[in-house]
Amino acid sequence: MVSSCFIDYVLSFAIYFTWICLNYTQNIAGIFTKTLLVLFVGALAWAYQAIQPPPPKTCGSPDGPPITASRIKLRDGRHLAYKEHGVPLGAAKYKIVKVHGFDSCRLDAVPLSPELVERLGIYFVSFDRPGYGESDPNPKRTVKSMALDIEELADQLRLGSKFYVIGISMGGQVVWSCLKYIPHRLAGATLVAPAVNYWWSGFPTNLSNQAYQQMLPQDQWVLRVSHYAPWLTYWWNTQKWFPSSSVIANSIDIFSSEDRKLLMKILSTRNHAAQVRQQGEYESLHRDLIVGFGAWEFSPLELDNPFPNNEGSVHVWHGDEDRFVPVMLQRYIAEQLPWIRYHELPGAGHLFMVADGMWDNIVKTLLVGEK
């Protein structure tokens, strides 16, 4: 028979051993918990750093590109770079502000024929939108601020009480802003292959979804991130895990067959490509995506006719083979806004405006109604 002393000894040892095991387990659990916490904090710090865009290399700053363009100083202290074309301002009958598109700048001018410029007396000014070329970035850029920048540019250059605006692609979105916020300053407007925000109110859900699905999957994700998680836009377009914007990457896959022919013409004459993104991609390309495809405070489909007495006109030009902006959305906008003069070009892609003679047709139609 086992003595009670021995039983007490065994029980005591078992209790002591259990206490040691429990204490050791708690220590291990504590170490494991602390390790996880450190790793979690480290991951958060890495993620925060990864989504932060680098500061722009502003023109004229110690580490930035030099200033070579004519510029105006805006009320908020920013500078806007511009380039004048055509007849001298004092001799001009028609004054046009041209708004460039995505990944472009003031140097991508409208190639009007000299004969048309002289015959009609056309002056036009192209400018770098904020963050592009030599215009200062605007971290506070909004849909409305772009229209006000244009109005201030026109005032400082003394274009007069009224002027025309022409916007290309993403620049077309800026023209919608002008029609909303400064219609009293406009003599007329033209939107050339204008970009469309799939989240504008007024689009039937099935229509916007159908158009959205026509984009490359990688571009669908780019716009989805820009709209729903704009703070991730920089990371998404610079990470290497998933395909990012085909447009930013200059992928040939997004161009139609007609566009590819015209693309060679553009590339053969474009010698300023390096200037477009020279201040950094975030405040130019990425900011464009955030503003252009974010939540707008108005929808172009709800605009009233800015020229109810036919004192001016608004034109939209679009190719039915445009693979950047689905034509079905432009058709719907034109149907909802009967005061829009809609020009659809069969077989044309997104770059149709650079075809020989096309810009002359677009500008003549705006200014004098010729086709």
Side-chain angles (χ1 to χ4, degrees):
M1 187 173 67
V2 181
S3 69
S4 60
C5 290
F6 180 76
I7 293 175
D8 289 342
Y9 174 79
V10 170
L11 287 174
S12 298
F13 178 80
I15 292 171
Y16 177 70
F17 181 77
T18 301
W19 177 83
I20 291 177
C21 289
L22 287 173
N23 191 53
Y24 180 77
T25 302
Q26 288 174 353
N27 288 337
I28 292 296
I31 294 172
F32 183 69
T33 300
K34 290 177 181 177
T35 301
L36 283 181
L37 183 60
V38 170
L39 291 175
F40 179 70
V41 171
L44 283 180
W46 173 85
Y48 179 78
Q49 286 295 114
I51 66 176
Q52 297 302 306
K57 295 182 178 181
T58 307
C59 287
S61 64
D63 64 340
I67 299 170
T68 64
S70 299
R71 307 202 305 176
I72 63 166
K73 188 173 183 178
L74 301 170
R75 283 185 292 268
D76 63 4
R78 289 181 296 115
H79 293 86
L80 212 63
Y82 67 92
K83 183 175 178 61
E84 297 174 289
H85 313 262
V87 302
L89 180 58
K93 181 180 179 181
Y94 299 103
K95 299 152 191 173
I96 303 172
V97 177
K98 176 248 184 177
V99 191
H100 69 76
F102 189 79
D103 204 9
S104 184
C105 73
R106 72 189 186 285
L107 300 176
D108 290 304
V110 175
L112 292 178
S113 66
E115 183 276 330
L116 180 69
V117 169
E118 292 296 328
R119 177 164 63 87
L120 294 184
I122 301 172
Y123 162 94
F124 67 97
V125 58
S126 54
F127 71 99
D128 291 332
R129 293 194 284 112
Y132 282 103
E134 296 186 30
S135 285
D136 292 341
N138 182 7
K140 298 179 180 179
R141 175 153 54 116
T142 64
V143 174
K144 183 177 183 178
S145 71
M146 280 305 312
L148 300 183
D149 282 358
I150 288 176
E151 183 177 36
E152 193 168 352
L153 174 68
D155 287 342
Q156 291 204 35
L157 295 182
R158 302 181 185 276
L159 300 193
S161 60
K162 288 185 180 289
F163 51 88
Y164 295 85
V165 288
I166 296 178
I168 305 163
S169 193
M170 289 292 282
Q173 287 192 338
V174 177
V175 174
W176 287 125
S177 301
C178 292
L179 292 169
K180 169 67 175 179
Y181 295 111
I182 58 168
H184 57 289
R185 301 300 305 274
L186 303 183
T190 291
L191 300 86
V192 182
V196 172
N197 185 323
Y198 296 87
W199 293 272
W200 282 338
S201 61
F203 280 134
T205 302
N206 62 333
L207 180 69
S208 57
N209 287 343
Q210 182 182 354
Y212 188 76
Q213 294 301 322
Q214 290 185 5
M215 290 190 298
L216 295 175
Q218 65 197 77
D219 293 326
Q220 293 179 33
W221 273 103
V222 167
L223 298 193
R224 193 177 290 126
V225 168
S226 300
H227 183 80
Y228 293 109
W231 44 276
L232 276 179
T233 299
Y234 168 76
W235 175 80
W236 188 268
N237 286 291
T238 55
Q239 51 78 35
K240 305 300 181 184
W241 299 342
F242 312 105
S244 56
S245 169
S246 64
V247 183
I248 292 178
N250 294 318
S251 172
I252 198 71
D253 295 337
I254 198 171
F255 292 98
S256 69
S257 58
E258 286 300 312
D259 278 343
R260 295 183 189 191
K261 298 175 186 176
L262 295 171
L263 186 60
M264 300 308 298
K265 178 180 179 180
I266 295 174
L267 295 177
S268 66
T269 59
R270 198 175 193 237
N271 55 11
H272 55 268
Q275 295 188 39
V276 174
R277 310 182 186 185
Q278 65 181 353
Q279 297 185 89
E281 293 188 4
Y282 182 73
E283 287 296 344
S284 54
L285 307 183
H286 302 166
R287 184 72 66 185
D288 248 6
L289 295 172
I290 292 170
V291 175
F293 297 98
W296 282 38
E297 56 194 35
F298 78 96
S299 172
L301 288 93
E302 301 164 354
L303 289 176
D304 294 324
N305 184 356
F307 306 113
N309 300 315
N310 294 320
E311 65 272 31
S313 57
V314 180
H315 301 260
V316 172
W317 295 75
H318 207 81
D320 68 356
E321 294 295 328
D322 192 327
R323 295 177 60 182
F324 287 74
V325 186
V327 69
M328 64 180 67
L329 297 180
Q330 302 294 12
R331 290 171 180 166
Y332 186 81
I333 292 173
E335 291 171 359
Q336 299 305 302
L337 305 177
W339 45 269
I340 291 285
R341 303 185 186 183
Y342 180 59
H343 313 269
E344 186 174 304
L345 305 176
H350 193 68
L351 305 178
F352 67 85
M353 72 291 299
V354 302
D356 291 342
M358 194 66 230
W359 267 119
D360 279 13
N361 291 336
I362 291 171
V363 171
K364 283 190 296 184
T365 302
L366 172 63
L367 302 182
V368 297
E370 296 181 26
K371 294 185 178 181

